[in-house]
Amino acid sequence: MFSRTVTQFIKRNVSSVRIVEVGPRDGLQNEAKILPTTTKIEFINRLSKTGLKNIEATSFVSAKWIPQMGDNVDVMKGIEKVDGITYSAIVPNMKGFEDAVETKTTEIAIGGSASETFTKKNFNCTIAEGVERVKSIMKAAKEKNIKVRGYVSTVISCPYEGKIKPSEVAKISEMLLKAGCYEISLGDTIGVGTPNSISEMLKEVLKVAPVETFAIHYHDTYGQALSNILASLDLGISVVDASVSGLGGCPYARGASGNAATEDVVYMLHGCGVKTGIDLELLIDAGKFICEELGRQSESKVNRATRKIKP
């Protein structure tokens, strides 16, 4: 009875969900092993066959700072780009933007944080100064007809400040929207959120812009990612970031298992009658492929279960 009620409630609010696959970028850049360019390209090409419409392929950042993304240009140029799929990339500065233009990237993402301390320690500026810094990228992107997505990290808690006020999340979200972002992805960076704190944050954020403007990006450090996604669906959120097989991790939380696993998110959504357009079997195969290449176990419960059923 409870399950049927939850399913009916979710379907009234959200009938379909768009998954943004962040494994090739947010996942691989947090893995210790640096994979060959050909492996990354094969991974993304496999993901392109699953029905995903958004794949975050790489980050145009200096190899000095993130060596896992050092082959960003080669990866973006080498993948088989399928019509109808958006292949996006993180762009931290104008040099990164120029690389994005060179590879004909049609969507970029810029980052920010709801924590002043986190922003100062990682970007050496205040939140407001950080938004000003990316305005040149926003202007250049508009001239090139490139869409810009915004990330807001530490939306629930910060490794330095602790609990973050929802009003601070709303504040930077509004700044990024006014600067030109078409969508804001709200990230529980250290994965400490619960359905209650997630709902509290979202209700404040939804005061500044329509629900269609926001996406969610939850880490599964305390095993709450799926519950938090359900809480977000209840409020009408219909865009979910996820990483196949839970690739990645969080450098600020000991034992963090990374992002919500795409296989688990899709399995749950399909079970609730919510459409994703994704072929779960092909997604599972992509997860198995990349985990074998990394020499690690999948963090996806669904992926592990299918290995036991079909060795």
Side-chain angles (χ1 to χ4, degrees), residues 120 163 284:
K120 288 175 182 176
K163 182 175 172 56
I284 289 170

Side-chain angles (χ1 to χ4, degrees), residues 144-162:
K144 295 289 185 179
N145 198 31
I146 295 175
K147 297 174 68 176
V148 182
R149 190 177 196 240
Y151 275 109
V152 177
S153 61
T154 62
V155 299
I156 299 298
S157 185
C158 167
Y160 310 112
E161 294 183 11

Side-chain angles (χ1 to χ4, degrees), residues 82-158:
V82 177
D83 288 343
I85 299 179
T86 296
Y87 300 91
S88 61
I90 294 287
V91 170
N93 49 42
M94 283 305 297
K95 173 60 172 66
F97 178 76
E98 290 167 2
D99 289 340
V101 172
E102 179 190 341
T103 59
K104 296 181 170 58
T105 302
T106 58
E107 179 175 316
I108 62 173
I110 59 172
S113 172
S115 163
E116 285 287 2
T117 306
F118 188 94
T119 303
K120 288 175 182 176
K121 285 184 175 290
N122 287 275
F123 305 107
N124 196 32
C125 64
T126 66
I127 290 174
E129 289 169 346
V131 173
E132 285 299 315
R133 285 183 183 182
V134 301
K135 282 187 176 179
S136 57
I137 297 175
M138 307 288 283
K139 180 181 178 182
K142 186 175 182 180
E143 292 173 353
K144 295 289 185 179
N145 198 31
I146 295 175
K147 297 174 68 176
V148 182
R149 190 177 196 240
Y151 275 109
V152 177
S153 61
T154 62
V155 299
I156 299 298
S157 185
C158 167

Side-chain angles (χ1 to χ4, degrees):
M1 179 65 180
F2 173 74
S3 177
R4 186 168 67 251
T5 302
V6 169
T7 298
Q8 290 173 343
F9 184 72
I10 290 172
K11 289 184 72 176
R12 277 201 305 272
N13 289 275
V14 177
S15 60
S16 64
V17 163
R18 173 166 58 90
I19 301 290
V20 178
E21 174 56 54
V22 300
R25 194 281 302 178
D26 194 26
L28 294 184
Q29 79 172 27
N30 282 302
E31 293 290 335
K33 184 176 181 179
I34 300 177
L35 296 175
T37 302
T38 52
T39 300
K40 296 178 186 177
I41 290 172
E42 172 66 15
F43 176 40
I44 296 170
N45 289 344
R46 285 174 179 248
L47 290 171
S48 294
K49 297 175 182 178
T50 64
L52 285 160
K53 296 302 181 185
N54 292 80
I55 300 174
E56 196 172 75
T58 190
S59 175
F60 290 113
V61 65
S62 170
K64 177 182 178 181
W65 301 113
I66 305 181
Q68 293 90 336
M69 297 287 106
D71 55 357
N72 41 40
V73 171
D74 291 335
V75 167
M76 192 61 90
K77 285 185 174 181
I79 59 178
E80 297 173 13
K81 294 180 180 177
V82 177
D83 288 343
I85 299 179
T86 296
Y87 300 91
S88 61
I90 294 287
V91 170
N93 49 42
M94 283 305 297
K95 173 60 172 66
F97 178 76
E98 290 167 2
D99 289 340
V101 172
E102 179 190 341
T103 59
K104 296 181 170 58
T105 302
T106 58
E107 179 175 316
I108 62 173
I110 59 172
S113 172
S115 163
E116 285 287 2
T117 306
F118 188 94
T119 303
K120 288 175 182 176
K121 285 184 175 290
N122 287 275
F123 305 107
N124 196 32
C125 64
T126 66
I127 290 174
E129 289 169 346
V131 173
E132 285 299 315
R133 285 183 183 182
V134 301
K135 282 187 176 179
S136 57
I137 297 175
M138 307 288 283
K139 180 181 178 182
K142 186 175 182 180
E143 292 173 353
K144 295 289 185 179
N145 198 31
I146 295 175
K147 297 174 68 176
V148 182
R149 190 177 196 240
Y151 275 109
V152 177
S153 61
T154 62
V155 299
I156 299 298
S157 185
C158 167
Y160 310 112
E161 294 183 11
K163 182 175 172 56
I164 296 296
K165 294 180 180 178
S167 59
E168 293 302 311
V169 183
K171 179 181 175 182
I172 185 173
S173 296
E174 188 171 27
M175 286 181 181
L176 290 172
L177 288 170
K178 287 182 177 179
C181 292
Y182 82 94
E183 182 174 271
I184 303 296
S185 177
L186 304 166
D188 179 12
T189 309
I190 57 176
V192 298
T194 61
N196 186 59
S197 60
I198 289 292
S199 296
E200 181 183 41
M201 179 272 296
L202 286 175
K203 287 175 181 177
E204 189 67 25
V205 169
L206 293 178
K207 293 178 182 178
V208 303
V211 68
E212 295 81 12
T213 311
F214 296 99
I216 51 174
H217 185 122
Y218 298 152
H219 282 236
D220 200 34
T221 311
Y222 286 84
Q224 299 296 297
L226 292 182
S227 298
N228 292 341
I229 290 170
L230 283 176
S232 303
L233 294 180
D234 286 349
L235 292 172
I237 297 291
S238 62
V239 184
V240 177
D241 294 1
S243 177
V244 70
S245 281
L247 292 182
C250 177
Y252 308 105
R254 188 182 298 249
S257 56
N259 297 279
T262 314
E263 301 97 314
D264 298 356
V265 174
V266 170
Y267 181 86
M268 178 188 72
L269 292 173
H270 289 182
C272 290
V274 177
K275 298 177 182 178
T276 66
I278 294 172
D279 185 315
L280 183 56
E281 289 300 318
L282 291 178
L283 188 67
I284 289 170
D285 288 342
K288 289 178 179 177
F289 165 77
I290 198 62
C291 285
E292 287 170 1
E293 293 295 321
L294 287 166
R296 56 160 287 181
Q297 180 176 253
S298 173
E299 293 295 336
S300 162
K301 298 295 192 298
V302 170
N303 211 309
R304 291 187 198 178
T306 59
R307 281 180 181 270
K308 293 176 181 178
I309 296 171
K310 295 182 286 186

